[in-house]
Amino acid sequence: MTTTVRVPEERSARVPAEQRGPGRDRDSVRLLVSCGTEVSHHAFVELPRRLRAGDLLIVNTSPTLASAVDGWIGHARVVVHFSTRGDDGRWAVELRDPDGRGTTRARAGGPAGTEVRLAGDVRLVLEEPLTPYGSRLWWGRVSEPDVLGLLRRHGRPIRYSYTQRDQPLSVYQTVFALPSADGSGSAEMPSAARPFTARLVAELVSRGVQFAPITLHTGVASAEAHEPPYPERYEVPEASARLINAARAGEGRILAVGTTAVRAVESAVDAGGVVRARKGWTDLVVTPERGVRVVDGLLTGLHEPEASHLLMLEAIAGRAAIERSYGEALSGLYLWHEFGDVHLILPEGPHTESCSSNCR
């Protein structure tokens, strides 16, 4: 998709669904269902009726970290977004300027040698850009070895200017989030899973829908940048690989919950199309040219038209289908971003019901 599609500012979800009125919960969002170029409109609580026994949902268990920390360069205040911990102990970080409204705006990265003072007399020194072609994220070395402890003590969730107010970290945890053994997590919430509640998960299980957990720790993806994703840590466990392969061998559909789940599982498939237990770093970027080898469909949030995530959506559904569904989302006044509405992309083809039956 191109920038010819403009998302009005008022279509940003400014607060979580459960804070928009009495009696609401996380699942009080809307669900756009597309199958090919056929589109229908639903409430998210209807998701169990859009799926069927044997379908398998791949879900990301990465917890969200309090990754934003205040700092100072000389007398100037900055906000540090801690993105990703490297194998050598350094962290990929983004420096942001406070905007006076409780959020931040982009600032130029670097230069090398820049020192940022953090709480508790901790120092962060920028060393080099994360990649040769960008200067937003830098590798930095922190004087405090327990950076995750620093985040727990002094951090807060990353928040962008389209949101209305600060929220506690619990608001940014999904129902699937699990503590990792080393305390690692995501700089930003794997938000496609946010509308799920324990009640809805129980209903899906009772209808024969299965879940395969994977982990992918997401880095910082600033709202202004629209860059390809950077390398991220992931793990596809043996049990989940077996579940996915078994569902593919039957008539179950493999549906990823979020683009992070797509990136992880598509990084774990071998040349013969078999998903293997794997962990490490993935630099995979799913594009229409690369295509997908495992997933049949996707449950995802609504992304800005310039975002690289849309290339992944086009790889799964095709450009015409995504353009049609986004046009419907705009005309239907759907809400964007991490607290917004969601989009279920269902497959066409053999072993599926007709699109009309899926979308009605």
Side-chain angles (χ1 to χ4, degrees):
M1 291 184 68
T2 68
T3 56
T4 55
V5 176
R6 188 181 71 85
V7 180
E9 186 178 347
E10 61 270 19
R11 299 270 51 84
S12 296
R14 303 193 180 281
V15 296
E18 65 272 23
Q19 296 177 16
R20 293 181 204 147
R24 291 176 176 262
D25 204 340
R26 287 178 172 227
D27 55 16
S28 301
V29 296
R30 299 172 68 192
L31 176 68
L32 183 77
V33 178
S34 63
C35 180
T37 55
E38 295 185 32
V39 179
S40 61
H41 305 273
H42 307 272
F44 185 74
V45 292
E46 297 175 56
L47 178 66
R49 296 196 289 279
R50 308 269 69 81
L51 304 181
R52 63 187 188 213
D55 286 345
L56 184 141
L57 297 179
I58 304 172
V59 296
N60 189 356
T61 63
S62 178
T64 308
L65 302 177
S67 294
V69 178
D70 290 326
W72 292 263
I73 299 176
H75 296 292
R77 185 180 162 223
V78 296
V79 177
V80 181
H81 287 177
F82 282 84
S83 179
T84 306
R85 179 172 58 183
D87 291 334
D88 59 1
R90 296 187 299 174
W91 279 78
V93 297
E94 178 191 27
L95 302 190
R96 309 270 296 182
D97 286 324
D99 62 4
R101 301 190 300 272
T103 52
T104 60
R105 57 177 174 265
R107 65 170 281 151
T114 297
E115 181 178 276
V116 184
R117 301 191 322 277
L118 305 173
D121 201 30
V122 174
R123 298 290 193 272
L124 163 68
V125 178
L126 302 186
E127 294 188 349
E128 61 180 333
L130 185 64
T131 67
Y133 51 84
S135 61
R136 181 175 64 90
L137 286 171
W138 280 66
W139 285 115
R141 200 168 293 278
V142 186
S143 62
E144 164 60 65
D146 184 15
V147 174
L148 293 170
L150 174 75
L151 299 185
R152 288 193 297 271
R153 293 189 302 273
H154 302 291
R156 62 185 179 276
I158 289 174
R159 176 189 159 208
Y160 293 114
S161 58
Y162 51 76
T163 58
Q164 190 176 94
R165 55 181 175 267
D166 285 343
Q167 300 285 349
L169 185 59
S170 59
V171 164
Y172 291 89
Q173 305 294 1
T174 75
V175 72
F176 303 110
L178 295 172
S180 55
D182 62 357
S184 296
S186 290
E188 297 181 7
M189 174 177 55
S191 56
R194 190 184 188 280
F196 283 87
T197 61
R199 177 183 62 246
L200 191 73
V201 170
E203 183 179 352
L204 286 164
V205 170
S206 73
R207 288 174 174 262
V209 175
Q210 295 181 295
F211 291 84
I214 58 86
T215 301
L216 186 138
H217 297 314
T218 68
V220 170
S222 295
E224 309 88 357
H226 309 306
E227 299 162 332
Y230 293 101
E232 294 167 319
R233 289 183 183 273
Y234 82 103
E235 179 176 7
V236 176
E238 178 65 41
S240 293
R242 288 199 304 267
L243 278 170
I244 294 166
N245 291 327
R248 294 181 73 208
E251 294 190 356
R253 299 173 296 186
I254 310 300
L255 306 173
V257 177
T259 57
T260 61
V262 177
R263 194 181 200 200
V265 74
E266 291 288 333
S267 298
V269 62
D270 66 18
V274 177
V275 177
R276 303 292 185 183
R278 286 184 183 165
K279 65 179 178 179
W281 292 87
T282 177
D283 59 1
L284 176 66
V285 179
V286 178
T287 64
E289 292 72 29
R290 189 266 186 190
V292 288
R293 300 170 188 167
V294 181
V295 301
D296 300 309
L298 174 65
L299 180 74
T300 182
L302 294 166
H303 302 285
E304 293 286 351
E306 304 89 343
S308 61
H309 294 302
L310 286 178
L311 293 176
M312 181 185 291
L313 271 60
E314 290 181 16
I316 295 170
R319 186 185 183 108
I322 299 305
E323 287 183 340
R324 171 68 192 278
S325 59
Y326 267 63
E328 287 279 331
L330 284 168
S331 62
L333 304 182
Y334 279 67
L335 294 178
W336 257 249
H337 300 304
E338 65 265 33
F339 299 141
D341 299 315
V342 286
H343 178 198
L344 175 63
I345 300 171
L346 291 173
E348 299 179 283
H351 307 302
T352 68
E353 299 169 9
S354 71
C355 283
S356 296
S357 110
N358 273 319
C359 283
R360 67 171 179 258

